[in-house]
Amino acid sequence: MWIRTTDGVSKGKYWGTNQPFKSPTLADGAALFDSDFLDNGGVSEGTGPCPAPHHGELQSPVINLTGITSADNIEVKLFAYYRLFDVQDLSLGFSSDGGSTWKDYSLKVLGGETNKVYGQDYITIKLKDATKGVADFSNCKLRFVFNGDSYFAMFDNVSILKSPPYDIGFPLANAYGYNTAMSPSPYAQFPKRYAEKASDKDYFYSAVISNDGGTEIPVSANPKLTWELLKS
């Protein structure tokens, strides 16, 4: 079950040296799924109030989003902190019909590696296609879902926003998914001593780019990436 925490600490046996939740408004309470404690009660595996595995959902009251249209794209910004062991589902759900139907989006955006701690920062969840075909946004809800075994998940400061029209990013570092006649240059920063000797040569660069904004950029718009080469 999800509970309200004001100290941002798991009561489970394996909390260890983890730092308390650093949400800016922790004193008002944050949502915590303390799978570690539920399983072991802070003492021994399987002796807690609800031994693992666990399934818990936390639903919001009705949220009136009148003013949003099916042409808009929306996103949720929230402060996050989690550590997972064997968790199949850690997600955020959106409903436009008061909870009758849901569209779910993974909250593991910072990673989902076993035993690793993630967060202590804001994350943004793009609710892709959440508004598609919806005419009435007066009866919306959000929910948190935890399904699995250990350790904890904490969330706070939840807000729903319209996505910006364009949100351009470079999701992969040193990506070589290119469509050029030649392989791209391996240099992200081209050494000056090489550049001075290579004035008669062509060098090819590539990048993998994503648009997480609310407005699609069709191929017919002939999008381009431009950059500037500076001499330092």
Side-chain angles (χ1 to χ4, degrees), residues 12-211:
K13 178 181 179 181
Y14 298 105
W15 174 253
T17 59
N18 290 313
Q19 295 295 311
F21 195 27
K22 296 180 180 179
S23 166
T25 59
L26 178 61
D28 294 336
L32 163 64
F33 197 98
D34 197 349
S35 180
D36 188 8
F37 174 77
L38 290 173
D39 179 59
N40 58 55
V43 179
S44 179
E45 288 82 351
T47 63
C50 181
H54 305 118
H55 179 86
E57 297 186 11
L58 175 64
Q59 292 190 22
S60 74
V62 169
I63 304 169
N64 188 341
L65 295 179
T66 298
I68 297 290
T69 72
S70 59
D72 293 319
N73 285 280
I74 57 177
E75 59 192 36
V76 170
K77 182 179 179 182
L78 67 160
F79 204 89
Y81 188 34
Y82 61 90
R83 183 187 184 203
L84 309 179
F85 176 65
D86 183 16
V87 177
Q88 294 76 48
D89 185 13
L90 180 64
S91 62
L92 174 75
F94 176 80
S95 172
S96 60
D97 54 16
S100 295
T101 60
W102 295 91
K103 293 182 179 179
D104 296 300
Y105 306 85
S106 176
L107 285 164
K108 301 179 187 179
V109 297
L110 300 175
E113 184 178 338
T114 299
N115 295 329
K116 189 171 181 180
V117 180
Y118 296 95
Q120 298 288 29
D121 204 352
Y122 282 101
I123 61 174
T124 299
I125 308 298
K126 306 287 185 179
L127 304 189
K128 183 176 176 60
D129 295 329
T131 62
K132 188 175 181 179
V134 179
D136 181 6
F137 288 91
S138 65
N139 193 28
C140 299
K141 282 188 172 186
L142 295 177
R143 73 174 178 185
F144 292 119
V145 176
F146 184 102
N147 186 24
D149 179 7
S150 289
Y151 293 93
F152 66 86
M154 302 188 207
F155 301 105
D156 198 9
N157 281 8
V158 181
S159 57
I160 303 175
L161 309 166
K162 283 187 181 182
S163 298
Y166 302 104
D167 184 7
I168 306 299
F170 297 84
L172 299 176
N174 299 320
Y176 288 89
Y178 51 85
N179 288 310
T180 61
M182 298 177 64
S183 300
S185 166
Y187 297 110
Q189 295 182 352
F190 196 53
K192 181 175 180 291
R193 65 182 183 277
Y194 293 160
E196 290 174 341
K197 297 178 181 180
S199 59
D200 61 338
K201 296 181 180 180
D202 293 327
Y203 286 85
F204 296 83
Y205 293 85
S206 73
V208 174
I209 304 171
S210 70
N211 173 30

